[in-house]
Amino acid sequence: MRVLVLYDGLTREAQKAFGAKGKINTWIDGMETAFHKLTSDNVSFGFASIHGIPGKTVTSGRFSYIGSLDKADIKKGLYRRKYEKALQLYQESYRKVVKEFNPDVIHVSGSEHPYVFVCSEFPEITIISIQGIRAVTQYYSDRYSEELAKQESLNSSPIKTIIKKALYGENIHWLSEYETNHIKNAKYINTQNEYSTMYFSMLNPDATYLQFEKIIRKEFYNSEWNPVNVSLNRVFTIISNQVSYKGYDTLVNTIIQLHKTGNREITFNIGGVRSDSPIGKIILKRLRSNGIPIASINFLGYLNTEQVVMHLQNTSVFALFSHIENTPNTLKEAQMMGVPCVAPYVGGVSSLLQDRKEGLIFQDTNFYSAASMILWLLRHPRQAIEYGRNARKRRLEDNNPEKITEQIIRAYHTIYESNRNKKQ
């Protein structure tokens, strides 16, 4: 059985194969690591990404790494705002990949990416795993001012700004419709929680829904938070994408509220954002205008796996501030290590974190609650430690790599056998 995985970003093995740098797709990276442990040799895998070397395929044993297309060709269309032309190039490239690899099963990672079209062209052999939901992020993007959206988009590459733009402008609405139209044709849909299952079953009630979790990067299974660090008065957060709906406004207001109430000893370490980035500048401007000492804020920029683990090990609390999430990897990784967590009641977050048993949940944008909950965990270390331990216990069960790998391979075989029986 040949399985073709379409994904955004790279895995660590793909980085080695191409000798290329690029953002790690944490879920696909974890999944690929688990696949390498499979003892069966009757399944071969192809991992195709726009971030590989265009037109190049590197094969190592049962694993092939495929560079899908030349980004320069796409940029030409994007700079001229020819979105349809860019998508046409994208689709032609992935059609070529599918033809050359000749898969029995196609596994699509994320409905928000342009390669979602394969759900319409190859529905019988395609399973799509849901990550973000473009139609939902469109709604939250529309809630923010055009001025902030333009400032934030300056830090994006042309591809992110135009094809994957989630801030403002006409194409986010157009691509939302593009996603919806192809999801309606999908035959197999993988969700991780009831939130996404209910949403997509509204669009496509006839699809077969297969619910299984993501495999987290192995470093988070093997690392555990030291409860002594609850006394450090440190809060760690990650803004994974520099877009308005990731909640940096709630983060800023939470910091301001803590300082207004005299809790100036708390340090915030912010991953994913540099101080000289557009969002970094916006955050600093707002903090300075409210008299907040900048020394209490550390912008960490992009963090690799080892750095994220280090900061989680050396924090007191992990906080998530997003206005919308499906099943956020950053929260799962913090839970896996047993770090006490605070998160908003949005999307699928409540399916990951049981309030007052595995952490604390505040209403979206309610920075008063976010600030008070962070402070409560710092002042009640025994309870914070218990929350962290409870969360780690559930993550180890729900995100067990062997269990999830078995579920994924079973799904592949279901699709493969279904099509083989039809051919017979």
Side-chain angles (χ1 to χ4, degrees):
M1 179 170 62
R2 294 172 63 79
V3 178
L4 176 64
V5 180
L6 307 184
Y7 70 111
D8 188 58
L10 290 172
T11 66
R12 280 175 281 191
E13 290 299 321
Q15 282 185 334
K16 294 176 185 176
F18 292 120
K21 295 182 179 179
K23 184 178 180 181
I24 294 292
N25 184 313
T26 57
W27 175 48
I28 300 299
D29 185 68
M31 186 175 77
E32 185 201 2
T33 299
F35 286 167
H36 275 280
K37 296 179 181 179
L38 290 173
T39 55
S40 173
D41 60 358
N42 62 353
V43 184
S44 56
F45 299 92
F47 289 82
S49 171
I50 187 176
H51 300 281
I53 297 176
K56 182 176 182 179
T57 297
V58 179
T59 300
S60 176
R62 294 182 293 117
F63 293 81
S64 297
Y65 304 96
I66 305 163
S68 57
L69 75 167
D70 189 344
K71 289 188 286 185
D73 289 338
I74 288 187
K75 288 180 181 179
K76 292 176 183 177
L78 296 181
Y79 277 128
R80 298 169 188 168
R81 302 181 69 81
K82 295 180 180 179
Y83 312 131
E84 293 89 345
K85 178 62 176 177
L87 269 179
Q88 183 182 346
L89 290 170
Y90 214 110
Q91 292 174 346
E92 288 174 355
S93 173
Y94 278 97
R95 287 189 188 102
K96 182 179 178 182
V97 168
V98 171
K99 182 179 180 180
E100 292 180 353
F101 190 79
N102 191 26
D104 298 298
V105 177
I106 301 174
H107 191 165
V108 175
S109 171
S111 62
E112 69 272 30
H113 300 294
Y115 48 63
V116 68
F117 80 94
V118 301
C119 291
S120 294
E121 296 199 8
F122 309 97
E124 298 297 326
I125 64 170
T126 299
I127 178 172
I128 181 166
S129 289
I130 302 303
Q131 294 182 168
I133 305 173
R134 188 178 290 279
V136 178
T137 55
Q138 169 196 314
Y139 166 76
Y140 283 90
S141 297
D142 288 348
R143 290 179 58 180
Y144 294 88
S145 71
E146 184 174 347
E147 179 184 355
L148 285 181
K150 286 181 178 179
Q151 289 176 13
E152 292 171 27
S153 69
L154 292 175
N155 199 42
S156 300
S157 70
I159 290 177
K160 288 182 180 177
T161 302
I162 302 176
I163 275 194
K164 196 185 172 186
K165 188 193 294 180
L167 292 171
Y168 74 102
E170 70 278 8
N171 69 303
I172 178 63
H173 299 270
W174 177 61
L175 285 172
S176 172
E177 183 178 351
Y178 173 85
E179 172 193 59
T180 300
N181 289 339
H182 290 301
I183 281 293
K184 288 179 179 178
N185 295 321
K187 187 170 182 180
Y188 301 97
I189 300 177
N190 160 229
T191 58
Q192 298 171 64
N193 52 45
E194 292 305 317
Y195 162 72
S196 54
T197 300
M198 286 189 288
Y199 176 81
F200 283 99
S201 62
M202 177 174 63
L203 301 177
N204 188 342
D206 298 323
T208 298
Y209 286 85
L210 303 166
Q211 194 163 314
F212 49 80
E213 262 283 3
K214 290 182 178 180
I215 298 173
I216 298 172
R217 288 174 285 181
K218 61 182 180 180
E219 288 82 357
F220 297 95
Y221 294 90
N222 301 330
S223 303
E224 191 169 359
W225 178 71
N226 187 344
V228 173
N229 292 335
V230 75
S231 63
L232 295 175
N233 290 322
R234 293 176 186 164
V235 178
F236 179 51
T237 188
I238 296 179
I239 301 177
S240 55
N241 292 309
Q242 297 206 31
V243 289
S244 55
Y245 57 79
K246 287 298 181 180
Y248 70 87
D249 53 328
T250 305
L251 164 63
V252 171
N253 289 330
T254 299
I255 296 171
I256 293 171
Q257 179 63 20
L258 286 168
H259 277 256
K260 281 184 177 179
T261 53
N263 299 286
R264 298 180 176 86
E265 74 284 0
I266 301 172
T267 300
F268 278 77
N269 295 311
I270 307 171
V273 180
R274 302 190 313 271
S275 60
D276 61 349
S277 68
I279 281 189
K281 291 177 181 178
I282 293 170
I283 292 173
L284 287 174
K285 182 179 179 180
R286 285 206 56 200
L287 293 179
R288 287 186 178 120
S289 66
N290 282 273
I292 307 299
I294 304 307
S296 62
I297 313 297
N298 296 312
F299 292 95
L300 305 174
Y302 170 78
L303 301 174
N304 61 30
T305 303
E306 291 73 21
Q307 290 170 321
V308 174
V309 169
M310 180 192 71
H311 284 287
L312 283 172
Q313 286 175 331
N314 291 284
T315 195
S316 308
V317 173
F318 175 80
L320 183 72
F321 296 98
S322 297
H323 299 307
I324 185 62
E325 289 283 358
N326 182 16
T327 53
N329 287 338
T330 53
L331 177 60
K332 289 182 183 179
E333 290 165 351
Q335 289 179 302
M336 182 64 78
M337 289 180 57
V339 181
C341 295
V342 170
Y345 190 84
V346 297
V349 167
S350 61
S351 69
L352 299 179
L353 191 156
Q354 188 173 342
D355 191 31
R356 302 193 180 279
K357 182 179 179 180
E358 299 168 334
L360 297 175
I361 297 180
F362 62 91
Q363 291 297 322
D364 180 32
T365 75
N366 191 335
F367 57 88
Y368 293 102
S369 291
S372 63
M373 289 177 178
I374 289 171
L375 196 58
W376 191 91
L377 289 176
L378 295 176
R379 289 177 174 175
H380 297 83
R382 185 175 299 178
Q383 193 66 60
I385 292 167
E386 182 180 342
Y387 287 163
R389 285 174 176 164
N390 290 341
R392 176 171 168 79
K393 180 180 179 181
R394 181 147 76 106
R395 279 300 121 236
L396 286 170
E397 294 172 355
D398 290 355
N399 293 89
N400 180 284
E402 289 77 18
K403 180 181 75 173
I404 298 172
T405 301
E406 182 181 330
Q407 292 171 328
I408 296 172
I409 298 298
R410 190 185 308 135
Y412 292 164
H413 277 288
T414 297
I415 297 169
Y416 175 66
E417 295 296 337
S418 175
N419 284 289
R420 191 169 69 166
N421 291 336
K422 288 179 181 178
K423 292 177 182 178
Q424 292 175 348

